[in-house]
Amino acid sequence: MQARVHDGLWLVRIEDIDPPREQAGASELILTALEAYGFDWDGEVIYQSSSARAHETALDALLDNSLAYRCSCSRKDLADAPRGPLGTIYPGTCRNGCDKTETAIRVLTDDAPISFEDGLQGLQTQRLESESGDFIIKRRDGLIAYQLAVVVNDELEGITEIVRGIDIMDSTARQIWLQKLLGYRTPHYIHIPVITHPDGDKLSKLTGAPGIPLKEVRPMLVAALQALRQEPPAGLADSTLTDIWHWAARNWKLEPLQGVTDISVDSVGPNFLTATPSMP
Ligand SMILES: [Zn+2]
C-alpha cells in the first residue's frame, strides 16, 4: 500500500538463492497465496537467482578493491570469539590473509557509526566492526550471502523505498555499508511490526503457526489491516476482495504504526492462530 499511495511500483521478488534451505514448492506456494489474497503486483515476478552474474560482479569489485578477503575460519575456530546481538563478532583473524583454498569471503568493516532514519522506528545506529565484525558475503559452500544479494537486487531494480518486517531491521546497517562500498544509492527504510506470540516470539512456521489459509481470505485480509492499525470499518470483510483493496489504498496510513515494534497475536483476534494449515 505504501508504494501505491506514493504512485510507486510494487514489485515481487522471490529470494531463491539458498537452495539447500528451500522447501520444495515454497516459491509457488507464496505466489499462490499472494494471488489468492488479491495482491496485484507490478510487472513480472523477479527471481533473485537470475541475478547471479550481477552478484558475482559486485563480489569481484569488492575483492579487486581490497574491500573483502578470504576467510578459512571454521565454526570451531570462532568458538571463543565474542558474541553480540547480531551473532558471533568476527575478530578479524584472516584479515591479513589465509592460505586455505576452501574459504568464505568477508567484507571489511570499520567502526564508524552507520545511521539511518527509519520511517517508523526513528534513528537507528550500529558500529559494525565492534557489533558484527567483518561479515560473510559469500559462503564457504559457494552461495552468495543474503546481505550482498539483497543490496545488488535493490540497486538493479532501482528500489527507492523498502517496507519490511522489523525482524530484519538489524541487517540494515550491514546493507547500507555494502551500498556505500559499491557506490549504490541507499533506499528509504520502513520497518513494520511483526505479529508475535504473547511471549514475544515472532509468529512463523518455526514457532508453530499454521500456514496462511487460501480460503476465507477476506476475513484474514481485514484482520491483517486491523493488526496494522488501519481501523477497517465493520463489515469490510463482507465486501469483495477488490473493494477491500480499494478501501486499503484509499485509507492507508503509516502514523498509527509509529514506533510500534510488535503486535501481539492476542490483539489481532483468533483468525491468525486457528487458520487451517494450507501446507503440511
Ligand atoms: Zn577467518
Side-chain angles (χ1 to χ4, degrees), residues 131-238:
E131 292 182 47
S132 78
D134 302 340
F135 54 94
I136 288 180
I137 49 176
K138 185 175 191 175
R139 291 168 15 186
R140 187 192 290 259
D141 62 9
L143 294 172
I144 293 287
Y146 162 77
Q147 307 292 3
L148 180 59
V150 163
V151 301
V152 169
N153 280 89
D154 289 343
E155 174 74 9
L156 276 179
E157 292 147 29
I159 305 294
T160 52
E161 183 172 77
I162 293 176
V163 183
R164 61 186 181 188
I166 197 168
D167 51 318
I168 318 182
M169 188 160 75
D170 65 8
S171 286
T172 309
R174 282 172 282 178
Q175 293 173 11
I176 290 173
W177 178 244
L178 290 172
Q179 288 154 5
K180 291 210 167 107
L181 296 183
L182 290 162
Y184 296 168
R185 295 154 294 183
T186 291
H188 182 227
Y189 289 94
I190 298 173
H191 288 93
I192 59 172
V194 293
I195 296 178
T196 55
H197 289 289
D199 61 8
D201 277 347
K202 179 187 160 191
L203 204 65
S204 75
K205 290 249 173 66
L206 289 177
T207 57
I212 194 163
L214 298 180
K215 289 178 185 159
E216 300 295 326
V217 298
R218 291 171 303 154
M220 277 294 278
L221 195 56
V222 173
L225 289 167
Q226 180 95 46
L228 291 168
R229 304 193 181 181
Q230 300 301 302
E231 300 177 336
L236 184 62
D238 299 326

Side-chain angles (χ1 to χ4, degrees), residues 55-76:
H55 300 156
E56 290 293 336
T57 302
L59 184 78
D60 288 343
L62 294 171
L63 283 169
D64 290 348
N65 291 302
S66 303
L67 298 168
Y69 61 89
R70 296 182 182 281
C71 165
S72 59
C73 297
S74 64
R75 203 164 290 205
K76 202 172 140 207

Side-chain angles (χ1 to χ4, degrees), residues 97-146:
C98 77
D99 46 17
K100 303 257 176 61
T101 48
E102 253 193 40
T103 60
I105 295 175
R106 290 182 185 271
V107 65
L108 273 174
T109 57
D110 67 25
D111 219 29
I114 295 179
S115 296
F116 66 98
E117 184 70 33
D118 187 88
L120 284 177
Q121 310 300 337
L123 185 69
Q124 306 292 321
T125 302
Q126 273 179 5
R127 292 175 184 270
L128 289 179
E129 190 173 14
S130 54
E131 292 182 47
S132 78
D134 302 340
F135 54 94
I136 288 180
I137 49 176
K138 185 175 191 175
R139 291 168 15 186
R140 187 192 290 259
D141 62 9
L143 294 172
I144 293 287
Y146 162 77

